[in-house]
């Protein structure tokens, strides 16, 4: 049975930025890990294309909303392709199948008695596509996020009866594993404890959206529409499948990986909508933090936005993946610092891991006829083997919980220990005496085998670098049977060792 994991469906208001790249890289690492472990997963990403903001952006550029969406959506497709993102699905909320799912979903929820007409009054931010409730007595309130004037709205909308689900949502969020990291749960708890209010799911003055069946002039509120993209993503193109088929296609999601700003929609509104429609709710919602650059918020006005495509061209996939996933505790806010980035990539990847492999491989080639050394002594008291096995267990537990930084640190610690092991056993001294040949073979084998384990463990984080290491050990096929090959001793003694070359270029 397959399970799905998702990135947010990115709003196509503007071209992709580093924040969406960060979400996607983290989800990609997790998806790769689950696949290596043998899980049948569907990795979903895509774009959210409706709403007034898109309509206005397109008008301001003098193009139609659909032209605008096509342009930005294809930028996302290209970017993920360039980054080697392993997504199985890319959903667009302007697709036919999505419209069909939205209509079916709405009719179910309505049938259940969870839709009513009502009047919606309040201050609205088009940037957030959200009514702002905490504006106080200000006569011209502004959005705290967009710093733009809010618009007063007073219109007849359709409402989803969220208030009916108070008890169910309270129960859901009291489950420790549902909202991750757990530190984010309090804000949701306090929001829910104030009493859930019905929320409007239609708009009457927005053309760029999906028409609500049976309600002339109403289009669906962009959030109601967008969340359903997680479902329509799973429906194959041109197949007449519906909500009842989702169970066989990867629903419920194992995890929604999202930014912390959209946690409320995912942890409250979305589960209630699913309950109403009689569908299962996702197992986990993981809200990660925001990225700043050199301590400053990134933005157009400051002109300090990091372009993910340029970063990729300048530094390569491995370097950026490693830095973002290893230096920022996943779930917390992070700061992109160029100096630290270069230092970490050079020291962790080029030195600690790269040099370990290259110097060991060079010695083995030199003294063992370009082959993996053979030994026949008993390997009781093999400290490096013991440490490797402990690290494998640790790293798997970390991956399971999306502790991506902790994964990278455990792998790095193993690499440092292997370097130390090499320095302490000093095979370059021992080799001077022929009587030590077995021992030299034993030590070098242990380090090379540790490098192989490191390459397998690091694969979800830096897949390209991982394959580079495995190629140098002639074991790239080991990735196909990951769990089995994580056993110690799979590096074949006497196998050819190719000429070593750097697994990553140092950054100047
Ligand atoms: Zn706003």
């Amino acid at each position: 049975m397959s399970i799905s994991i998702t990135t947010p469906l990115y709003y196509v208001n503007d071209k992709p930025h580093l924040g969406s790249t960060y979400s996607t890289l983290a989800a990609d690492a997790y998806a790769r890990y689950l696949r290596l472990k043998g899980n049948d997963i569907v990795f979903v990403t895509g774009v959210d294309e409706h709403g007034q903001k898109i309509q206005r952006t397109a008008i301001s550029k003098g193009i139609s909303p659909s032209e605008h969406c096509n342009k930005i959506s294809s930028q996302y497709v290209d970017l993920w392709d360039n980054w080697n993102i392993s997504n199985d699905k890319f959903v667009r909320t302007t697709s036919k199948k999505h419209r069909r799912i939205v209509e079916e979903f709405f009719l179910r929820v309505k049938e259940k008695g969870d839709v009513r007409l009502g009047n919606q009054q309040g201050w609205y931010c088009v940037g957030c596509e959200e009514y702002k409730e905490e504006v106080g007595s200000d006569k011209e309130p502004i959005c705290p996020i967009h710093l733009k004037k809010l618009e007063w709205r007073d219109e007849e909308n359709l409402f989803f009866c969220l208030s009916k689900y108070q008890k169910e949502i309270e129960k859901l969020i009291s489950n420790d594993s549902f909202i991750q990291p757990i530190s984010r749960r309090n804000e949701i708890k306090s929001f829910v404890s104030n009493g859930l209010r019905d929320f409007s799911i239609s708009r009457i003055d927005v053309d760029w959206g999906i028409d609500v069946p049976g309600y002339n002039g109403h289009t669906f509120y962009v959030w109601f529409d967008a969340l359903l993209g997680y479902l329509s993503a799973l429906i194959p193109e041109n197949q007449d499948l519906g909500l009842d088929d989702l169970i066989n296609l990867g629903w419920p999601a194992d995890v929604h990986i999202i930014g912390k700003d959209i946690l409320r929609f995912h942890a409250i509104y979305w589960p209630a909508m699913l309950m109403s429609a009689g569908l299962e709710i996702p197992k986990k919602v993981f809200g990660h933090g925001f990225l700043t650059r050199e301590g400053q918020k990134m933005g157009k006005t400051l002109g300090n936005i990091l372009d993910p495509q340029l970063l990729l061209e300048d530094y390569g996939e491995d370097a950026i993946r490693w830095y973002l996933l290893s230096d920022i505790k996943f779930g917390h806010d992070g700061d992109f610092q160029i100096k630290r980035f270069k230092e970490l990539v050079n020291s962790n990847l080029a030195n600690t891991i790269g040099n370990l492999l290259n110097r060991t491989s060079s010695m083995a080639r030199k003294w063992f006829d370009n082959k993996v050394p053979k030994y026949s002594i008993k390997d009781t008291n093999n400290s490096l083997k013991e440490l490797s096995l402990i690290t494998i267990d640790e790293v798997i537990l970390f991956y399971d919980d999306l502790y991506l930084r902790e994964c990278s640190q455990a792998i790095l610690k193993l690499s440092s220990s292997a370097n130390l092991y090499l320095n302490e056993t000093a095979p370059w001294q021992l080799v001077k005496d022929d009587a030590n040949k077995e021992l030299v073979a034993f030590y070098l084998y242990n380090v090379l085998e540790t490098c192989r384990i490191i390459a397998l463990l690091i694969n979800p984080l830096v897949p390209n670098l991982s394959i580079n290491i495995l190629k140098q050990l002639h074991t790239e096929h080991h990735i196909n049977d990951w769990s089995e090959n994580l056993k110690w001793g799979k590096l074949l003694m006497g196998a050819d060792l190719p000429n070593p070359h750097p697994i990553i270029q140092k950054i100047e």
Side-chain angles (χ1 to χ4, degrees):
M1 220 43 163
S2 59
I3 49 171
S4 54
I5 75 161
T6 72
T7 73
L9 302 185
Y10 302 111
Y11 203 46
V12 296
N13 181 50
D14 212 340
K15 65 179 190 178
H17 55 77
L18 193 62
S20 39
T21 307
Y22 178 57
S23 294
T24 306
L25 290 177
D28 186 54
Y30 188 55
R32 285 173 185 273
Y33 163 69
L34 291 177
R35 279 193 209 104
L36 289 175
K37 250 186 32 171
N39 291 299
D40 180 9
I41 68 140
V42 187
F43 174 17
V44 170
T45 187
V47 283
D48 168 10
E49 303 182 279
H50 285 131
Q52 190 161 28
K53 193 174 176 180
I54 303 290
Q55 195 175 323
R56 287 188 185 172
T57 304
I59 289 168
S60 75
K61 291 183 175 168
I63 54 176
S64 71
S66 90
E67 280 174 299
H68 170 82
C69 290
N70 287 343
K71 185 177 143 221
I72 306 284
S73 297
S74 68
Q75 289 178 357
Y76 273 99
V77 171
D78 292 346
L79 186 68
W80 300 156
D81 201 36
N82 295 343
W83 277 95
N84 288 316
I85 300 300
S86 66
N87 59 299
D88 302 292
K89 304 281 181 187
F90 184 94
V91 67
R92 295 184 60 178
T93 59
T94 48
S95 61
K96 261 192 205 143
K97 64 173 185 177
H98 179 72
R99 176 180 300 259
R100 225 178 53 230
I101 286 293
V102 171
E103 288 168 355
E104 187 188 356
F105 191 94
F106 171 73
L107 292 175
R108 268 204 195 188
V109 170
K110 188 171 164 245
E111 187 81 355
K112 180 83 188 289
D114 288 342
V115 175
R116 64 169 176 87
L117 272 170
N119 246 44
Q120 173 80 60
Q121 274 189 341
W123 291 105
Y124 194 78
C125 173
V126 175
C128 297
E129 294 281 12
E130 195 179 23
Y131 282 96
K132 297 288 171 183
E133 284 162 12
E134 301 96 10
V135 292
S137 56
D138 203 336
K139 285 218 163 53
E140 282 197 337
I142 55 168
C143 168
I145 295 166
H146 292 92
L147 306 176
K148 281 187 182 155
K149 276 187 198 164
L150 298 176
E151 298 173 16
W152 179 256
R153 295 281 171 88
D154 183 357
E155 59 180 48
E156 185 180 58
N157 286 168
L158 286 161
F159 282 75
F160 173 74
C161 302
L162 182 65
S163 54
K164 284 193 190 173
Y165 293 89
Q166 180 77 29
K167 285 256 149 12
E168 282 94 334
I169 296 296
E170 278 173 9
K171 188 168 167 238
L172 174 67
I173 61 176
S174 66
N175 165 1
D176 277 353
S177 61
F178 182 63
I179 297 174
Q180 291 290 325
I182 201 145
S183 56
R184 300 225 178 281
R185 203 172 61 176
N186 285 345
E187 66 174 270
I188 296 298
K189 265 195 166 165
S190 82
F191 183 84
V192 174
S193 69
N194 287 333
L196 293 175
R197 280 186 273 173
D198 298 349
F199 72 99
S200 80
I201 58 168
S202 74
R203 296 289 183 267
I204 51 168
D205 59 347
V206 182
D207 303 331
W208 186 240
I210 297 176
D211 293 336
V212 180
Y215 293 87
N216 243 340
H218 287 255
T219 52
F220 283 108
Y221 170 46
V222 60
W223 265 108
F224 185 82
D225 160 358
L227 287 163
L228 294 167
Y230 294 135
L231 305 181
S232 59
L234 301 173
I235 306 278
E237 302 289 342
N238 305 319
Q239 278 192 36
D240 196 21
L241 301 177
L243 297 175
D244 285 332
D245 302 297
L246 288 169
I247 192 85
N248 302 315
L249 300 169
W251 193 257
D254 184 60
V255 62
H256 291 311
I257 291 174
I258 55 167
K260 62 181 181 180
D261 54 329
I262 52 175
L263 190 57
R264 193 187 289 178
F265 289 100
H266 285 79
I268 301 173
Y269 297 9
W270 179 224
M273 286 163 58
L274 289 164
M275 287 174 194
S276 172
L279 293 167
E280 283 193 60
I281 52 173
K283 296 203 170 63
K284 192 189 287 182
V285 175
F286 194 106
H288 68 69
F290 282 169
L291 297 181
T292 50
R293 177 180 183 181
E294 314 292 345
Q296 276 192 314
K297 199 179 163 192
M298 282 183 260
K300 271 189 182 161
T301 29
L302 281 171
N304 63 346
I305 295 176
L306 282 166
D307 182 326
Q309 179 58 37
L310 292 180
L311 280 177
L312 180 64
E313 286 164 16
D314 287 348
Y315 302 110
E317 181 191 325
D318 292 326
I320 303 285
R321 279 186 187 251
W322 177 258
Y323 176 60
L324 291 177
L325 301 178
S326 77
D327 197 38
I328 300 165
K329 188 169 170 58
F330 193 52
H332 293 227
D333 291 338
D335 190 34
F336 195 107
Q337 299 170 0
I338 197 75
K339 186 162 172 275
R340 183 169 170 78
F341 157 69
K342 291 179 181 176
E343 277 168 10
L344 282 187
V345 169
N346 288 342
S347 115
N348 298 348
L349 299 182
N351 294 342
T352 307
I353 298 177
N355 279 352
L356 175 72
L357 172 67
N358 283 2
R359 64 179 176 142
T360 313
S361 177
S362 301
M363 286 186 273
R365 281 171 53 86
K366 193 164 159 197
W367 304 326
F368 295 89
D369 195 20
N370 299 329
K371 290 186 171 31
V372 175
K374 265 188 202 168
Y375 67 87
S376 50
I377 48 175
K378 278 253 173 298
D379 76 342
T380 43
N381 251 338
N382 187 342
S383 61
L384 203 50
K385 173 182 171 184
E386 279 164 29
L387 187 66
S388 294
L389 295 179
I390 291 170
T391 305
I392 292 168
D393 290 344
E394 246 177 27
V395 169
I396 285 178
L397 288 177
F398 287 145
Y399 273 128
D400 281 336
D401 285 334
L402 274 156
Y403 289 171
L404 301 176
R405 184 177 73 160
E406 289 74 4
C407 288
S408 64
Q409 286 173 342
I411 296 166
L412 208 55
K413 204 173 118 210
L414 176 61
S415 316
S416 299
S417 302
N419 274 305
L420 201 66
Y421 176 90
L422 209 52
N423 294 346
E424 282 170 355
T425 55
W428 49 89
Q429 297 290 346
L430 294 173
V431 79
K432 292 173 186 164
D433 185 345
D434 265 358
N436 293 326
K437 192 107 194 221
E438 273 279 305
L439 211 49
V440 172
F442 176 66
Y443 292 147
L444 292 183
Y445 180 89
N446 287 337
V447 178
L448 289 173
E449 176 62 345
T450 303
C451 288
R452 191 187 64 87
I453 302 272
I454 289 167
L456 292 180
L457 290 178
I458 215 169
N459 185 275
L461 303 171
V462 277
N464 188 50
L465 182 109
S466 154
I467 296 297
N468 278 344
I469 299 175
L470 292 172
K471 272 185 185 160
Q472 297 213 34
L473 297 168
H474 240 150
T475 55
E476 56 265 44
H477 58 280
H478 283 192
I479 213 69
N480 300 331
D481 201 355
W482 192 75
S483 300
E484 178 61 25
N485 280 313
L486 271 175
K487 290 177 181 160
W488 182 268
K490 294 281 176 180
L491 182 65
L492 213 58
M493 292 184 199
D496 287 336
L497 271 180
N499 204 4
H501 52 83
I503 55 164
I504 189 166
Q505 292 301 329
K506 274 200 172 188
I507 306 171
E508 298 308 324

